[in-house]
């Protein structure tokens, strides 16, 4: 079947005028894809944030089940309005909640994973000529409890539906033209990528790029669905996120990204003996604090300093735990810095291209930016720097590596 799944985010359906605009685009697609168009929408504008605020006004710890009941209403407003707008244009359209669309999730409120999609109802409606408008971000457990997939979950709904319906492409419409080499608001020379591999997109999404939710990328990779990220405000081609062979990739670094919401802690002079790291990180895990980078430095033969980073929201609990552990071990002090940021480069091309890390460190050194911590994987390198220096760091790293492929001959791109 030649069908298409399209997702429109909250900013694309923020008001009635934009919903009408989305309806016209969806209608054009229906003329192009007569086999079927399935549309997934998010809640209008900042609706979900507003609903979260209402819940917090009532309760400091609202129950997860009722949060899902509440937040799921946001998407129901937009599916109904979009269906009405399509009907106004003379098209057959019908809205479906996650449950009606057959989206079955695990039994976990506020962050459920999709376990199965029963496509019978959607396929029947498509065969009857309907444009099917599905509420993003929500599903149902096997025993009819409404669940949500975690903030930003509509991307995952769309990609999972594309996978289940075997649509070759899932279009994600957003307020930017596609995936950029870095944030154009920080680095004016950033340019749109015409394509990017699943692996690179997943790293970028996990490291702070907001254009796609990481889970949607994992899902696309698993089901071999290409994602086309494009603007809802113009008809330019956006960025294709897809399987790419290494040979197709002629660039060592694909993107530069940053995460400003990091905090650093260090326990000084902990005894150098087995079990210390297990004790500290075990206690943090128990408190549900996820730790990102870890560095252990050797002072002498007797003690080590252990430094690590956490999300800034977790700083307070991480500090309490670290201080407790330090007391237990007789370590003299815990220091912390709430004002750090992580800057990262990502690229499948760095495999087999030596010198990328050195070049990144050199760019930072030339700009007099001190590197506080480093971590690497096969296709990424991250450095922790002072938060006030992160914009400059992104600029100098982008200048060093990222070349506009459309502007130069591909032979020039390899370092
Ligand atoms: N409305 C939900 C949120 O704001 C889901 C989404 O937009 O993807 O998180
Ligand atoms: Mg949203």
């Amino acid at each position: 079947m030649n069908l298409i799944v399209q997702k429109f985010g909250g900013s694309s359906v923020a008001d009635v005028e934009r919903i009408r605009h989305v309806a016209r685009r969806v209608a054009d697609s229906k003329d192009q894809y007569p086999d079927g168009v399935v549309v997934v929408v998010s809640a209008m504008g900042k609706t979900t944030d507003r609903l979260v605020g209402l819940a917090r006004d009532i309760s400091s710890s609202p129950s997860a089940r009722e949060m899902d009941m509440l937040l799921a209403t946001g998407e129901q407003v937009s599916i109904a309005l979009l269906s009405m707008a399509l009907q106004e244009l003379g098209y057959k359209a019908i809205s479906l909640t996650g449950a009606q669309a057959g989206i079955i999730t695990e039994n976990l409120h506020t962050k459920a994973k999709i376990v199965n999609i029963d496509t019978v109802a959607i396929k029947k409606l498509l065969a009857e000529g309907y444009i099917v408008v599905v509420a993003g971000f929500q599903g149902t457990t096997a025993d009819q409890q409404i669940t949500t997939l975690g903030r930003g979950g509509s991307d995952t709904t769309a990609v999972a539906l594309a996978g289940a319906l075997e649509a070759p492409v899932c279009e994600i419409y957003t307020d930017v033209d596609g995936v950029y080499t870095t944030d154009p608001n920080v680095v004016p020379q950033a340019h749109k990528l015409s394509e990017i591999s699943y692996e690179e997109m997943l790293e970028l999404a996990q490291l702070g790029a907001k254009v796609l939710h990481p889970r949607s990328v994992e899902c696309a990779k698993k089901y071999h669905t290409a994602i086309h990220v494009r603007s809802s405000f113009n008809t330019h081609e956006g960025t294709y996120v897809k399987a790419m062979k290494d040979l197709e990739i002629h660039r060592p670094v694909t993107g530069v990204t940053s995460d400003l919401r990091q905090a650093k802690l260090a326990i000084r002079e902990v005894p150098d003996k087995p079990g210390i790291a297990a004790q500290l990180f075990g206690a943090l895990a128990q408190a549900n604090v996820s730790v990102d980078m870890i560095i252990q430095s050797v002072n002498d033969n007797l003690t080590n300093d252990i430094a690590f980073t956490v999300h800034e929201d977790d700083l307070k609990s991480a500090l309490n735990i670290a201080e407790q552990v330090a007391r237990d071990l007789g370590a003299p002090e815990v220091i912390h810095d709430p004002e750090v940021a992580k800057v990262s480069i990502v690229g499948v091309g760095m495999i087999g291209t030596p010198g990328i890390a050195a070049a990144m460190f050199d760019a930072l050194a030339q700009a007099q930016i001190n590197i506080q911590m480093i971590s690497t994987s096969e296709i990424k390198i991250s450095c922790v720097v002072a938060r006030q220096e992160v914009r400059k760091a992104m600029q100098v790293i982008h200048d060093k590596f990222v070349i506009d492929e459309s502007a130069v001959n591909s032979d020039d791109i390899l370092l």
Side-chain angles (χ1 to χ4, degrees), residues 7 9-10 42-43 45 48-49 75 136-137 150-155:
K7 181 254 173 180
S42 295
T48 311
D49 290 336
E75 272 67 15
F137 168 63
R151 296 302 306 272
S154 298
D155 291 348

Side-chain angles (χ1 to χ4, degrees), residues 41-43 48 71-80 135-138 154:
V41 280
S42 295
T48 311
L71 297 193
T73 63
E75 272 67 15
Q76 267 178 247
V77 173
S78 25
I79 53 172
F137 168 63
Q138 57 175 263
S154 298

